[in-house]
Amino acid sequence: MSFSELGLSTKVLDAVTSAGYTTPTPIQAQAIPHVMQRRDVLGIAQTGTGKTAAFTLPMITLLEQGRARARMPRTLILEPTRELAAQVEENFIKYGVNNKLSVALLIGGMSFGDQDVKITRGVDVLIATPGRLLDHYERGKLLLTGIEILVIDEADRMLDMGFIPDIERITKLVPFTRQTLFFTATMPAEITRITEQFLHNPVRIEASRPATAATTITQRLVASHGKDFEKRETLRRLITEAVDFNTAIVFANRKTEVANLHRSLLRHNFKAVALHGDLDQRARMAALDAFKTGDANILVASDVAARGLDIPDVSHVFNYDVPFHADDYVHRIGRTGRAGRLGAAFSIVTRHDEKMVAAIEKLIGQTIAWEGPKLSELPPSTASADDGDRPSSRGARGRESGRDRGRERSRAPSPERAERAAPADRAAQEPRPRKRAGRTDAVQAASFVPEEMPRPMPTAKPARQPRREAEDDDRPVKGLGEHMPAFLMTSVRKSPVK
Ligand code: AMP
C-alpha cells in the first residue's frame, strides 16, 4: 500500500514525501480512506503508531475545499495536554507546508489576546485543551457552530485527567452533523460509553493490540529495599551499569517523586531533566527539548506527563516505581524497543510491589526475569529502623486504590486545571528557569566536545561522583542534620534571678 492510494491531495502527498515517509503505517492505511469518505472513526492506537498523521493528512486534504470565517473554526482537535496540542500543531505545519492553512492553538500559558486575534481572523484548524477552549467560549469570542470535523485525541487520558464532563459539554456546542474522529489507547468502560454517545456508526480501527509488549524489549525485575535512598542507589547502579545505553526514561508514580528523583540525579551529576504536571509550560518544553536534542540523556517523568508524547526512541526504561496499573507498565516500556530496535526495561521492585508485579505479569502473559537476587534473596537492609521506616515512596498508604489515585489526580493541579485556575498570562510571564551552575556543569561539558576529537562512547555514567557526605541527599537526615537554624545557635543570656 502506498500513500497515493489513500485519496489524499497532491499537495498533501508532496508534503508526505518531503517528510520522508514512503509507506503508510497500518492505522494510516486503514483510517485515511474512511476519513476521506466523511465517516466517523474510532481509532484504538497508541502514540508511535502514526495516528496523528492518520487524522491530520486527510483533514488537510478535506480543508482544501472552502474557507474559514471569522470566529468560526472549521475543525476542532481536543488534546489532554499542552505538549500534545503543540505536537499536533507541528504536524499540521509539517504536512500542510503546501497548503495555506490557518491553525490556532488554544492552550494555557499563552495570552488570551493573541489567541483571540487569530480566532477573530478565522481559522481552519483549532487545536485546544478542553479547559482553555471552554474559557474562550465563555468569553463569547468563539463560535463552534461551524465545526465540520471534531477530533478527540488520547480520550482515555482525558478520562484519567477528569476532562470527560468538559468534552461532553463541547460535543453539545458543535453541530450534530459534524464528523468525529476519536482516538484512545485503551477502551475502559467509560470510554466505550462515550463513544456510543459521540460517534455515529463509526469505523473501528485497532492499530495494535493494546497491552502487548514489543518482543524486542528485554524486561527485568530488580529487587531493592524500600527506602527512598536505597531505591535511588539501585537506580543509579542500574543506569551506570546499563549496557548499550543511549537515552533513558525513568518513571516514578508521583509528581513529587519525579521532582525529588530529578534533583537527586542532578546532584549525582547525571544529565537528567524532569517532566511532571507542576512544571510551568516553559520548563516542560525546555525539558523535552533538552532530551530531544541530546543535552540530557535521562528524562524523569510521571505517567500522566509522558503518555502520548512523541519522545524519541530510548534505549532504556527504568521503573523507579512499579506502576499502580498494569496498563501503564505496557505504555512505559513501549517507549523503548520501537520499530524493531532493541530496548531494555528495568523495574525496581520492593516487597510492597509484589502484587502489582503479579498483575503486570498476568496482563503481558509472561513472567519477568530477575536481574540479580530476587526479593527473597536480598541481603538485609543496612538502614536502621529509625531511618524513617516507612515503605518507600508509596509509604504506608502503599498500593493506592484506583479511587485514591483518581483523587490524587483530580486534586493535583493538572496542567489544564492549573491553567484554568491561574490568571491567564501568568505562566507566559514566568521567568526562564535559570541554570544552576554546579548542577548543570556535566550537561554543558558534555556538549562541548570538539568535532575533530573522537567522541567518547555515549555513557550514562556521571562525570564525577560527589564525595562530600553532606551532599549525599539520599540518606535520611536525623534531627535537623546540618541545617541547624542560626537562631538556635545564638547564646542566650540568662536574666539574673531576683
Ligand atoms: P504518532 O503516533 O502520531 O505520535 O507518530 C509517531 C512518529 O511516527 C512521529 O514521529 C511521526 O513523524 C512518525 N510517522 C508518522 N507516520 C509515519 C510513516 N508513514 N512513516 C514513518 N514515520 C511516520
Side-chain angles (χ1 to χ4, degrees):
M1 167 80 66
S2 78
F3 276 105
S4 58
E5 296 167 64
L6 302 178
L8 297 168
S9 72
T10 320
K11 287 178 183 171
V12 171
L13 286 175
D14 287 347
V16 168
T17 310
S18 309
Y21 306 154
T22 48
T23 323
T25 65
I27 189 148
Q28 291 163 3
Q30 292 174 70
I32 292 173
H34 293 295
V35 181
M36 291 302 301
Q37 287 162 12
R38 299 269 182 187
R39 290 281 305 269
D40 280 5
V41 170
L42 167 57
I44 304 166
Q46 297 169 15
T47 260
T49 54
K51 74 175 162 72
T52 318
F55 61 84
T56 47
L57 299 178
M59 279 175 76
I60 299 170
T61 302
L62 291 170
L63 285 166
E64 285 177 11
Q65 307 298 322
R67 55 191 288 270
R69 284 191 282 161
R71 292 190 188 179
M72 291 182 72
R74 299 173 66 197
T75 61
L76 172 62
I77 299 167
L78 296 173
E79 293 289 338
T81 65
R82 301 178 247 187
E83 284 85 0
L84 280 169
Q87 211 165 277
V88 171
E89 185 192 30
E90 280 169 24
N91 273 255
F92 271 99
I93 293 167
K94 181 160 77 174
Y95 305 131
V97 280
N98 305 317
N99 296 70
K100 285 203 182 85
L101 280 181
S102 113
V103 181
L105 199 56
L106 295 192
I107 56 175
M110 291 166 83
S111 89
F112 273 94
D114 293 348
Q115 295 174 346
D116 280 345
V117 171
K118 267 202 160 176
I119 295 170
T120 307
R121 277 197 215 124
V123 292
D124 295 299
V125 183
L126 188 60
I127 308 163
T129 47
R132 188 44 91 97
L133 182 88
L134 286 171
D135 286 346
H136 272 276
Y137 181 80
E138 280 156 15
R139 285 156 49 103
K141 303 278 180 184
L142 177 66
L143 289 169
L144 295 173
T145 44
I147 298 292
E148 298 160 36
I149 305 174
L150 170 68
V151 180
I152 300 169
D153 195 17
E154 298 275 334
D156 52 349
R157 201 159 154 219
M158 303 256 206
L159 174 72
D160 281 352
M161 295 171 83
F163 293 157
I164 297 302
D166 283 351
I167 307 272
E168 287 184 308
R169 222 187 122 201
I170 293 165
T171 53
K172 291 194 182 107
L173 302 174
V174 298
F176 180 74
T177 50
R178 92 271 163 175
Q179 180 182 12
T180 309
L181 313 176
F182 189 101
F183 293 89
T184 180
T186 54
M187 282 295 282
E190 180 67 357
I191 294 292
T192 307
R193 180 188 73 77
I194 59 171
T195 56
E196 284 159 8
Q197 193 183 322
F198 297 165
L199 298 167
H200 305 297
N201 189 24
V203 191
R204 184 186 163 111
I205 297 164
E206 219 160 320
S208 65
R209 227 159 44 83
T212 319
T215 48
T216 50
I217 306 170
T218 306
Q219 301 172 60
R220 291 287 180 269
L221 303 177
V222 181
S224 171
H225 292 296
K227 302 212 167 53
D228 288 343
F229 78 90
E230 293 168 311
K231 288 181 76 178
R232 288 179 196 175
E233 266 170 23
T234 308
L235 176 69
R236 290 196 297 273
R237 177 174 56 79
L238 287 174
I239 298 175
T240 312
E241 292 174 0
V243 177
D244 290 335
F245 182 95
N246 182 18
T247 49
I249 304 183
V250 177
F251 283 101
N253 288 352
R254 294 174 190 283
K255 286 181 290 186
T256 45
E257 191 59 69
V258 169
N260 293 341
L261 202 49
H262 175 225
R263 275 194 296 272
S264 164
L265 286 169
L266 287 179
R267 265 193 288 264
H268 287 268
N269 286 333
F270 287 96
K271 301 193 292 176
V273 286
L275 201 63
H276 61 82
D278 283 350
L279 293 174
D280 69 63
Q281 176 68 359
R282 196 173 276 159
R284 277 146 45 116
M285 287 300 192
L288 266 183
D289 276 356
F291 192 63
K292 285 182 179 175
T293 55
D295 280 348
N297 58 5
I298 298 171
L299 174 70
V300 191
S302 61
D303 293 282
V304 173
R307 241 169 89 178
L309 284 184
D310 183 19
I311 295 169
D313 190 48
V314 297
S315 62
H316 287 73
V317 166
F318 298 103
N319 290 320
Y320 176 78
D321 294 317
V322 177
F324 299 126
H325 289 249
D327 262 359
D328 284 335
Y329 177 82
V330 180
H331 284 293
R332 289 181 183 186
I333 71 165
R335 297 299 182 162
T336 183
R338 285 205 203 169
R341 280 187 286 253
L342 295 178
F346 292 87
S347 303
I348 298 176
V349 180
T350 71
R351 65 191 168 87
H352 305 284
D353 303 324
E354 283 174 292
K355 272 193 189 149
M356 292 186 290
V357 170
I360 289 166
E361 291 181 330
K362 191 170 167 220
L363 179 78
I364 63 173
Q366 67 184 88
T367 309
I368 310 171
W370 291 92
E371 177 90 8
K374 293 179 186 176
L375 270 175
S376 54
E377 300 160 359
L378 213 54
S381 166
T382 53
S384 62
D386 66 345
D387 279 348
D389 193 11
R390 52 201 143 69
S392 106
S393 50
R394 269 181 307 288
R397 284 170 291 156
R399 267 109 335 137
E400 287 179 314
S401 66
R403 226 181 59 213
D404 287 341
R405 183 192 193 220
R407 220 185 287 139
E408 202 221 8
R409 280 188 173 168
S410 56
R411 225 189 297 122
S414 72
E416 181 72 1
R417 284 212 183 81
E419 99 198 10
R420 294 188 73 184
D425 298 339
R426 193 188 300 157
Q429 291 161 4
E430 294 263 12
R432 199 174 278 277
R434 282 218 206 114
K435 278 187 180 161
R436 290 162 73 170
R439 297 189 179 180
T440 48
D441 280 348
V443 177
Q444 289 170 356
S447 40
F448 288 115
V449 179
E451 278 309 316
E452 62 273 17
M453 281 174 68
R455 274 182 183 268
M457 283 295 286
T459 172
K461 283 194 184 116
R464 75 192 144 80
Q465 292 285 353
R467 280 284 138 238
R468 275 182 52 207
E469 281 305 312
E471 278 182 8
D472 192 343
D473 58 297
D474 300 331
R475 298 244 158 211
V477 175
K478 291 181 184 170
L480 291 165
E482 296 209 330
H483 305 285
M484 180 75 76
F487 74 88
L488 287 181
M489 318 255 283
T490 53
S491 54
V492 180
R493 226 188 304 143
K494 278 188 191 163
S495 50
V497 184
K498 290 186 182 154

